[in-house]
Amino acid sequence: MHPYTKKEMMDLITGKLRRNFGRDVDEATSLHMFKACALVIRDMMSERNIKTQDKLAKSHARQVHYLSLEFLMGRSLMKNAYNLGVLEPLKEAIEGLGFSAADLFESEPDAGLGNGGLGRLAACYLDSMTTLDIPATGYSICYELGIFKQKIVDGQQVEVPDNWLGMGDAWLIPKMDEIEEVRFGGHVEDVWDCHGNHSVKHTGYDSVLAVPKDMEIAGYGTEQGNTLRLWDAKSPQPVDMSLFSRGEYLKAVERQAMAETISKILYPEDNHYEGKSLRLKQQYFFVSATIQSIVHKHRAEYGTLRNFHEKHVIQINDTHPTLAIPELMRILLDEEGYSWDDAWHIVTHTVAYTNHTVLAEALERWPQQLVIDLLPRIWQIIVEISNRYQAELTAYFHGDMATVEKMAIVWGGDVRMANLCVCACFAVNGVSALHSGILKKEVFHNAWLRTPEKFKNVTNGIDHRRWLSECDPKLDALIRDCCGGDRYLLQPEALRDLEKYQDDASVLERLDAIKQENKRSFAAWLSRESGIVLNTDAMFDVQVKRLHEYKRQLLNVLHIISDYQHLREDPGYLAVPKVYLFGAKAAPGYQVAKRIIHLINSLADTVNSDPICKDKLQVVFLENYRVSLAEKLMPASELSEQISTAGKEASGTGNMKFMMNGALSIGTLDGANVEMHEVLGDENIFLFGLRANEVSELKAKGYRSYEYYMHDSEIRSVVDALSRGFRDGVSYDDLTKRLLFGNGCPPDEYLLLADFSSYRAAQKRASETYLDRKRWNQMALHNVARSGIFAADRSIRDYARDIWNVPVRTIGED
């Protein structure tokens, strides 16, 4: 790529200001400047994308289509400029035009297209696919408001709209010539001609237009360009003119409003029929538009769909895009006229499924009647798949209907999406070694026995260029000095070279100084944003992730309460001062999770107001946790809380980001923690708690949390504190009862009290180690050095080799 100078970048930016906004630099606002910079960068990516498409048209290479209801992209200006190799001249140009580059980057809103690890993983994978020269496209919905913006009011989460498109639309390129029509409802009739040929007539349906808005993706150190295609929902009839003319203005735009609701927000609440209906509409809308788009381009290029499975692989990220399976069948049967067997062969050699959870409630099931009402033709196809599959299972398992029931696609009035994936997909993968093992042994055990060749493992990975080099530039500089320059950016295994410096006092001291400076930088930012003043001399103990009971933020809280109680009795109790930092969003309808957020804030208010805790103990809940906040927090973190109940976390990717930034982990052997432990050894991680098999055994024997409460005075004191409440007068007796007696669930379902003492002991070990600065810094160095295996580039190479069967760029021979 052309090496741009400061002057060239200034000329490009001023040109955009004049042509697109009618402004000279001295008239431009920061919004104009941001959008002008974004458009300049977007043009560079578009040029790459056109060259990539030209190359693809000649090579006819197999393409990867990555379908995910979430893509948590975060901010794009700095990331895209970094990948294009123009970050420094861009910064210089912005400063040269009289603006602050840092302020401009900070002004960009996070693209709120995801909720947590699922969406962040998808974003990392798009980056790596592009960097590794894999022709790939991501697909999702262009949510107008995305995930909500979290406000904490009186200690409680309040959800407010997050209108990211005000500035974020600068990255989107509408493709009005590639609009697709998606149909809902109506009636389906079977039609037979005089030759006995079957066709389907769909009448009385409602149409929604899917408008593609493409976000260009730049890879690092390559000319490859890929795309994230986001579908925006529009009505084909914006206004009913007859109603409008009669003065019925609201009714006149009702159809438009109903259509646009589909792409309004991510994950509408589904504890009522309307919410379920909207979620199902979202899922079908985005997969139908996607499959139609892929098919139309393929047919235009090849004139047939007979070779579709040879030229495309469709990877569905969790169960949300499962309807891609019957939708592709619909097109092959109804529009192409293929036989069932021919269509099924193409589908089952095209679609692969990544499972992300072992939680039963997350393995989606849709009410049968809802599918019938909204998607009548899709329902017919699902029933046919289900009947054929059930007949095969009945024969294979010799009429064992108990086994067939577990594996059935349609059963008991529900449509089971995970079972449909297992039936139709040519590959099913978990996202960590432990998780993939659980899928085989428990969740999909009988399917694995029947088709073991389908089941794979691809451990998750993260974009190490973003999560290390970009967000921790001082650590990046140290690595470059020790590991042969920037080699690790494309060869993350080169981080291992850091191990050579484990006894080098100057390197360890520099590593420690970097961490302390990062802590001060984060504290300064937080003080500016919220007025909260952190004690930077304390250990930063961090738990940031989606709020769910199995992730056990409540266990962390119980531990802090215990520390606080001991500190009240003995002001010299804590040898190491601690700052506990929490960040989490709870799903709007998940009341227990929202109560835990309230509890964290009640505890923070009590602890932070007590003079005994000054400079010893501090608790902070970080409002509106998001990608851009994580990019500031990860480099400053020292102890990473990865404390989920063993066997419940599929993988986790936050654990990898902390590890890569030199934080030490305190955690259970759950998810990717298992593989982290394998590369780190016992000596570089603080393990505690029951293992997955021990969790199963304890539950099988009959876990009684009340006995732990009765026989352990420390547990009893902490749990009683929840019931008594805190300085704000709020009691959490409901959480106490949930721990001891259950409330619509088993008592202490995620075994907090069983792991409490072990967790406390691990925390004590971490504090003791923290006092030995050399040992702590050596452990931090080993964490960074051994984190290369968790780079997304490695994950994508695994997918390419084991599932997609596509070639990847060979690094070192470019």
Side-chain angles (χ1 to χ4, degrees), residues 303-353:
T304 178
L305 297 187
R306 296 285 176 188
N307 65 339
F308 187 83
H309 57 291
E310 297 169 5
K311 298 301 180 182
H312 305 277
V313 58
I314 295 172
Q315 187 73 42
I316 56 180
N317 194 31
D318 218 350
T319 52
H320 310 122
T322 302
L323 291 172
I325 295 164
E327 176 65 5
L328 182 53
M329 284 293 291
R330 181 191 69 78
I331 291 171
L332 294 170
L333 295 169
D334 299 352
E335 297 181 14
E336 300 298 321
Y338 288 6
S339 69
W340 180 275
D341 289 344
D342 287 347
W344 188 242
H345 177 81
I346 292 171
V347 170
T348 56
H349 288 78
T350 300
V351 187
Y353 163 53

Side-chain angles (χ1 to χ4, degrees), residues 230-371:
L230 302 171
W231 296 102
D232 192 17
K234 297 293 181 185
S235 170
Q237 185 182 356
V239 178
D240 186 323
M241 289 305 297
S242 62
L243 289 172
F244 197 88
S245 299
R246 295 200 300 267
E248 298 181 54
Y249 304 127
L250 292 179
K251 277 192 175 182
V253 296
E254 185 177 37
R255 182 173 292 183
Q256 178 189 22
M258 289 303 295
E260 294 180 359
T261 298
I262 290 173
S263 56
K264 188 66 70 176
I265 66 167
L266 171 68
Y267 295 144
E269 185 51 53
D270 66 348
N271 55 10
H272 45 73
Y273 182 85
E274 291 78 8
K276 285 185 172 64
S277 175
L278 180 53
R279 280 210 187 189
L280 185 59
K281 279 184 176 180
Q282 285 184 329
Q283 293 186 8
Y284 183 66
F285 166 78
F286 114 81
V287 301
S288 176
T290 295
I291 300 301
Q292 289 185 69
S293 175
I294 298 169
V295 165
H296 290 159
K297 290 180 180 180
H298 180 92
R299 192 190 295 111
E301 184 170 1
Y302 297 102
T304 178
L305 297 187
R306 296 285 176 188
N307 65 339
F308 187 83
H309 57 291
E310 297 169 5
K311 298 301 180 182
H312 305 277
V313 58
I314 295 172
Q315 187 73 42
I316 56 180
N317 194 31
D318 218 350
T319 52
H320 310 122
T322 302
L323 291 172
I325 295 164
E327 176 65 5
L328 182 53
M329 284 293 291
R330 181 191 69 78
I331 291 171
L332 294 170
L333 295 169
D334 299 352
E335 297 181 14
E336 300 298 321
Y338 288 6
S339 69
W340 180 275
D341 289 344
D342 287 347
W344 188 242
H345 177 81
I346 292 171
V347 170
T348 56
H349 288 78
T350 300
V351 187
Y353 163 53
T354 300
N355 173 279
H356 283 277
T357 184
V358 299
L359 299 179
E361 67 267 24
L363 295 172
E364 289 184 303
R365 298 181 178 209
W366 291 107
Q368 175 179 316
Q369 192 59 49
L370 182 61
V371 180

Side-chain angles (χ1 to χ4, degrees), residues 64 165 269 490 509 523 638 797 810 812:
V64 174
L165 280 171
E269 185 51 53
L490 289 173
E509 288 169 9
E638 295 177 289
R797 288 183 185 277
T810 302

Side-chain angles (χ1 to χ4, degrees), residues 89 190 211 250 272-273 315 345 444 461 653 704 719 779 798:
D190 293 315
V211 180
L250 292 179
H272 45 73
Y273 182 85
Q315 187 73 42
H345 177 81
F444 302 130
T653 52
R704 297 175 179 82
V719 173
M779 293 172 70
D798 289 352

Side-chain angles (χ1 to χ4, degrees), residues 13 345 463 509 802:
I13 293 168
H345 177 81
D463 175 5
E509 288 169 9
D802 299 335

